[in-house]
Amino acid sequence: MVKIGIITGSTRDSRVNIQVADWVKSIADQRADAEFELVDIKDYNLPRYNESVPAIMSQDYQTPEAKVWSEKISELDGFVFVTPEYNKGITSGLKDAIDYLYVEWNNKAAGIVSYGSSLGVTAANNLRLILTVPKVATVGTQPALSLFTDFEEMSTFNPAPFHQETVQRMLDEVVDWSTALKTIRD
């Protein structure tokens, strides 16, 4: 059985990101074809990316937090990134978390759940492009949530019911692709 990490995309104290990630996990936990785990990047306390040698060249991480982060990502077979959109992009915290590693991401699958004033679509597309470098295959189905209709006063998550079906389709793809890609890594 594959292990899928649901990765938060924000580290702000006032974030709504964790509400969305918890909702995705509650849907995922109804499945029996994979194991799902919430991975909150805030818990890893990664500083701004400042390794002297890029992760594509060496896994001899000098930042202690990167070593713990590396262990977590290594044990996962796939991911669901929950990303807000800030200024038409992903957060700096999520970008740093991705940049700290390379091999740990290779040949794994990911789904993206985005949200923002314009559904987070630009951030999701930005994230898809970023994930091509560490060889993460992103699935096509992408739940996109509106700050105006899926949140009350932009702070309390209350998604429209139809989003649940889209999340299920995305999870189907992530599990299938993660299972297939695991054969390449084994």
Side-chain angles (χ1 to χ4, degrees):
M1 187 176 308
V2 292
K3 284 184 71 174
I4 309 295
I6 300 169
I7 300 179
T8 61
S10 177
T11 58
R12 289 176 48 215
D13 290 336
S14 63
R15 65 190 169 151
V16 295
N17 192 261
I18 199 77
Q19 294 176 56
V20 180
D22 283 339
W23 172 72
V24 171
K25 185 163 186 318
S26 74
I27 296 168
D29 284 345
Q30 297 170 26
R31 304 173 65 97
D33 57 352
E35 190 178 322
F36 296 89
E37 174 183 353
L38 185 65
V39 180
D40 189 350
I41 60 174
K42 187 173 183 165
D43 291 343
Y44 291 84
N45 296 313
L46 291 163
R48 297 292 308 185
Y49 180 73
N50 194 25
E51 289 285 321
S52 57
V53 178
I56 196 169
M57 299 173 73
S58 171
Q59 283 66 59
D60 183 25
Y61 305 119
Q62 301 305 301
T63 306
E65 294 87 352
K67 293 174 184 178
V68 177
W69 180 236
S70 169
E71 291 170 13
K72 174 49 62 189
I73 298 306
S74 291
E75 70 184 37
L76 299 169
D77 300 303
F79 315 99
V80 173
F81 289 91
V82 178
T83 184
E85 182 169 290
Y86 294 174
N87 298 320
K88 299 295 183 190
I90 64 171
T91 67
S92 58
L94 179 55
K95 181 69 167 82
D96 284 337
I98 294 167
D99 288 346
Y100 262 105
L101 309 177
Y102 179 75
V103 171
E104 297 86 346
W105 300 113
N106 289 180
N107 298 314
K108 295 180 181 181
I112 299 170
V113 176
S114 65
Y115 62 92
S117 60
S118 58
L119 307 177
V121 173
T122 306
N125 289 337
N126 180 256
L127 181 55
R128 285 180 193 284
L129 182 61
I130 291 165
L131 291 172
T132 63
V133 176
K135 302 177 189 174
V136 177
T138 56
V139 302
T141 301
Q142 180 200 314
L145 306 156
S146 170
L147 278 177
F148 302 115
T149 59
D150 294 307
F151 292 83
E152 296 168 5
E153 298 180 19
M154 294 190 197
S155 62
T156 302
F157 186 53
N158 186 17
F162 71 87
H163 290 300
Q164 186 162 346
E165 183 181 327
T166 309
V167 171
Q168 285 289 12
R169 265 196 324 268
M170 178 206 56
L171 292 171
D172 288 343
E173 294 172 15
V174 171
V175 170
D176 288 348
W177 286 30
S178 295
T179 302
L181 287 169
K182 188 173 183 176
T183 64
I184 294 171
R185 295 190 320 276
D186 288 344

